Amino acid sequence: EIVASDAEKLVQLMHSGTKNRAVSSTLMNSVSSRSHSIFTIKVHQKDEEDKSKNVFAKLNLVDLAGSERQKGTGASGQTLKEGANINKSLSALGNVINALVEIANGKKTFVPFRNSKLTRVLQESLGGNSLCTMLATLSPAASNYEETMSTLRYANRAKAIKVSATKNEE
């Protein structure tokens, strides 16, 4: 955990994380991410007039590596293994999203947060006292139609999650 007292330090830390992110060339993307990236910002806001009042927040900025079909990427060896791991964690996240949508629709169901490291880390963001926003990146290319439609379906399911966030004050 690193304390950053200003926005400049946060940007510096994000650039450092981006530089350390593993990428590899595939047929679909010359700089394909080989892992997901999570940047967590914990905010502690102190009230200058009333020292007993504090507000706490946690912001997870998550960049999910895209799902990959081996035939489209031409991946082999380590890159193929990384793609399989990416797909496995995205599938686990999809299962969590599906369970949360069922709960939002009034069904009682188990949410499998512990099925992957990704879903465990994002448990508070997805099913806790939080708000969650998803930005889906799409390709306009006709050759990527299947992947684009899959991404849209994924985002549409995530949109159906119902949350109720309350302010964390002390």
Side-chain angles (χ1 to χ4, degrees):
E1 202 167 290
I2 300 170
V3 176
S5 56
D6 58 26
E8 187 176 311
K9 180 67 174 175
L10 283 176
V11 171
Q12 183 183 44
L13 289 168
M14 287 180 76
H15 283 302
S16 174
T18 301
K19 279 192 270 183
N20 290 322
R21 191 164 186 193
V23 295
S24 183
S25 181
T26 69
L27 295 177
M28 291 181 74
N29 185 351
S30 62
V31 287
S32 177
S33 300
R34 305 319 305 152
S35 64
H36 307 303
S37 175
I38 301 174
F39 187 77
T40 302
I41 302 169
K42 293 180 181 177
V43 178
H44 179 187
Q45 183 180 17
K46 299 176 184 178
D47 189 321
E48 292 298 322
E49 294 174 13
D50 185 353
K51 301 286 186 198
S52 67
K53 285 190 175 180
N54 291 295
V55 177
F56 298 91
K58 186 164 119 177
L59 178 66
N60 284 320
L61 303 176
V62 182
D63 183 5
L64 297 174
S67 64
E68 299 185 348
R69 289 185 173 84
Q70 193 277 334
K71 67 177 183 176
T73 62
S76 62
Q78 182 64 26
T79 304
L80 180 61
K81 186 177 176 183
E82 291 164 345
N85 288 333
I86 289 166
N87 290 343
K88 186 176 175 183
S89 66
L90 288 174
S91 178
L93 180 57
N95 292 337
V96 165
I97 290 169
N98 288 339
L100 291 170
V101 170
E102 284 187 25
I103 289 170
N105 291 331
K107 295 180 184 172
K108 290 200 181 247
T109 188
F110 173 74
V111 182
F113 284 114
R114 294 184 178 198
N115 286 0
S116 81
K117 289 179 186 177
L118 176 66
T119 54
R120 221 172 303 139
V121 169
L122 296 179
Q123 183 171 353
E124 279 184 338
S125 297
L126 294 168
N129 178 25
S130 65
L131 298 176
C132 186
T133 300
M134 180 177 187
L135 174 69
T137 306
L138 309 171
S139 170
S143 61
N144 293 328
Y145 177 79
E146 285 182 41
E147 285 82 3
T148 296
M149 292 307 296
S150 176
T151 299
L152 287 172
R153 284 189 296 273
Y154 202 90
N156 194 49
R157 282 184 298 168
K159 190 172 81 170
I161 297 171
K162 301 286 186 257
V163 295
S164 57
T166 57
K167 198 172 185 181
N168 295 322
E169 290 184 304
E170 267 187 4

